[in-house]
Every structure is written in structure tokens, then in C-alpha cells.
Amino acid sequence: MDLQAVIDDIALSLAERRGEGKVADYIPELAKVDPNQFGIALTTVDGQVFTAGDATTPFSIQSVSKVFMLTLALGKAGEGIWKRVGREPSGSAFNSIVQLEQEHGIPRNPFINAGAIVVCDMVLAGHKPKEAIGEVLRFVRYLADDETISIDRAVAKSETQTGFRNHALANFMRSFGNLHHEVDHVLGVYFHQCAIAMTCRQLSRAGLFLAAHGHDPISGYSVVSPKRARRINALMLTCGHYDGSGDFAFHVGLPGKSGVGGGILAIAPGKASIAVWSPGLNKVGNSALGSVALEMLAARTGWSVFGT
């Protein structure tokens, strides 16, 4: 299969649709991003890299970072994290507060905002906020094998100044005893992890361990156990697109995690790690063109986990 030809054709097919969707204007810095951009990068388990479009343009990965933070938290706390956060799809918006009251401050899963804030609280244990931020940045650089990856300070500041709903979620969980550190400290880590800026090429490389049973096939290093990689992929499939997760599984059939910056990391187990980016979002907060591109890729490669 000529994967370069496949993604070139996808990028060409979507060229006239650039700009579809709506940028996440509730974060002022993201509102400034040109919506007429689209990039795709694919890194195979044998180390080949294929790119098309704006694949080398950095963007704010936002909630895609939750995959890496979950991986860190599992390394620190192991299976004990599931006492504080669930593993079920939410069926609600990513920043919803409704279920928290009904379920006594235990978020449905680690990929909605509330769950990711609890995961941050776990990673923060024993650290100052700056140390925890440094830890996740070093981890992402290690996974991507790229020391140039950085945090977009303007985006982090923008989120800090406007993250009122996240403050509400965090305070609500602390009232139930499910947040152990100061709210401002936890959210400081959360806003900075979301503001990590990466290109599609870097992001696809960072996710490769999830396509290769938990180890990095290029460096040869083990990142997580095969069992843990499988479980992270399972959560990405069922919960990675908020209340659009079922629709994404239906149309694409790959584990994936989206972010309101317009990025999506998708995993074809045993095959490749794929990153797409287009800033315009659909009605449930996922990249409009990115979702279409991944549906096209899954159809043309037969990589759906549910079969060809």
C-alpha cells in the first residue's frame, strides 16, 4: 500500500473544504488561529513517516495531552487511579458538571475535563506545579524524540484567564474530597499541559508506543506494558471524543483522542500512529475535517479495529 499516495489524495480531496467548522473561540488565543489549515502525519510501527498538508505547523494539542498525562498517572499510581476516576463514556459535553453531582465527584472517565483534572492532581503528588509541568513536557519530548516541543505560553495564559468552568469542576470535586491539592495548583498544571504545542509529525511520533504494544519500535524502549497500552487504546476508543465518541467509533473505528485545538491522535494497533489537525470544530468539539480525514484513511487502509 502506498501510504504517501493515500494521505496525499485525502489532503487533496479535502482542499476545498478547508475552513469548515468553528474554531474554539471561548479560548481567546485559539480564536486567532487561521481555520483554513489541514495537516496529517502518519508514523508506522516500522519507522516510516508520511505527511501531507500543514503537518509541520505547530498547534495547541489541548485535550490530546490527556493521553500522555493518563500514561504518566498510571505509571505513578497504577490501577489505583480507577478509585478516583471512572472508565465509562460520559454521553455529556467535555466540560459538563451535571454528572459530577449525581456521581459524588467521581468523573466518568479521564478524558473529559473533570477526569483529566483529577489525573493532574495525581501527577502533581509530591511535586510543585512547575515540576509537574516539566515532567509532562519531558515525557512528551521523550515520546516524540524531539527536544524542541514547547508550551505555548500565550495559550496557557489565555486558558488561565478564562477557565471559569474548569475552576468550577475542580472546586466541585474538591468538595467531595476527590482533589487533594490546591485548585489553582492543579489547574496550573492542567492549563499548561493543554497548551503544549506540537506538529502533526511530532504528535504521530509521540503516539507510536500505543500502536506498538507499549514499546517504541524506533528506539526500542518500553514505555508501558502491552496490557496497559491496550487499555489506554480502549479508553481512547470509547471516551476519546466526548459525546461524539460513539459516532467516531462508528465512522472511523480507531482509538482516538481529540482536542479543541483541532488535533486528533488516532491509533491503528500494530500498524501506525496518525495525527490530523484542522482548527474548525464540529458541534461536539472535535475537528470537523480531521474526523473526515480519518474516516477516509480507515476506509482506504482497512485499519478499523472492527475489520475491513
Side-chain angles (χ1 to χ4, degrees):
M1 188 188 312
D2 188 342
L3 290 172
Q4 186 62 56
V6 170
I7 64 170
D8 282 341
D9 186 59
I10 290 172
L12 182 62
S13 299
L14 296 177
E16 293 185 358
R17 296 178 59 179
R18 288 188 179 214
E20 281 190 11
K22 185 176 184 292
V23 297
D25 54 7
Y26 63 90
I27 299 174
E29 280 299 312
L30 295 187
K32 300 176 184 178
V33 178
D34 178 6
N36 297 301
Q37 299 181 85
F38 171 82
I40 182 169
L42 190 155
T43 305
T44 64
V45 293
D46 61 359
Q48 298 183 78
V49 181
F50 305 94
T51 65
D54 301 305
T56 58
T57 301
F59 61 92
S60 178
I61 67 170
Q62 292 294 312
S63 288
V64 180
S65 65
K66 295 172 184 177
V67 173
F68 307 124
M69 284 296 274
L70 174 62
T71 305
L72 276 179
L74 284 166
K76 285 175 171 285
E79 298 301 303
I81 78 167
W82 306 121
K83 296 177 182 178
R84 296 178 58 192
V85 62
R87 300 189 296 265
E88 295 295 333
S90 66
S92 300
F94 60 87
N95 57 2
S96 173
I97 200 170
V98 175
Q99 287 172 332
L100 277 178
E101 183 163 19
Q102 297 172 339
E103 298 173 4
H104 309 290
I106 305 294
R108 275 290 178 94
N109 65 69
F111 293 149
I112 55 174
N113 287 17
I117 291 168
V118 171
V119 168
C120 277
D121 190 59
M122 297 177 194
V123 173
L124 187 55
H127 295 294
K128 295 178 180 178
K130 285 185 178 180
E131 294 170 343
I133 293 166
E135 183 178 13
V136 67
L137 185 58
R138 284 192 300 274
F139 184 52
V140 171
R141 286 172 171 173
Y142 162 73
L143 293 175
D145 193 21
D146 192 331
E147 291 297 314
T148 68
I149 294 169
S150 63
I151 291 171
D152 187 324
R153 302 291 174 182
V155 172
K157 182 179 179 181
S158 185
E159 294 201 59
T160 301
Q161 293 174 338
T162 60
F164 307 116
R165 186 178 287 262
N166 287 317
H167 274 275
L169 292 169
N171 278 295
F172 202 73
M173 289 186 293
R174 188 156 194 201
S175 76
F176 280 100
N178 199 22
L179 216 63
H180 300 164
H181 298 85
E182 294 292 331
V183 165
D184 286 345
H185 290 179
V186 179
L187 291 179
V189 177
Y190 178 70
F191 292 141
H192 281 80
Q193 78 170 58
C194 289
I196 292 173
M198 298 176 74
T199 67
C200 287
R201 186 184 182 102
Q202 292 167 332
L203 186 56
S204 72
R205 176 69 176 88
L208 190 58
F209 75 101
L210 291 172
H213 312 294
H215 78 281
D216 183 337
I218 297 175
S219 70
Y221 295 131
S222 175
V223 180
V224 297
S225 68
K227 180 180 180 180
R228 183 159 290 171
R230 186 171 68 248
R231 287 182 165 178
I232 294 170
N233 280 332
L235 286 166
M236 290 172 70
L237 181 70
T238 57
C239 308
H241 282 73
Y242 313 119
D243 47 334
S245 296
D247 198 56
F248 187 82
F250 181 86
H251 288 286
V252 179
L254 294 174
K257 183 71 200 82
S258 66
V260 296
I264 303 175
L265 172 65
I267 305 298
K271 303 291 185 181
S273 170
I274 310 109
V276 295
W277 171 60
S278 187
L281 308 179
N282 60 24
K283 62 182 181 180
V284 290
N286 303 314
S287 175
L289 284 195
S291 300
V292 173
L294 287 168
E295 182 176 2
M296 294 170 71
L297 180 70
R300 297 181 189 192
T301 59
W303 284 351
S304 167
V305 297
F306 302 112
T308 56

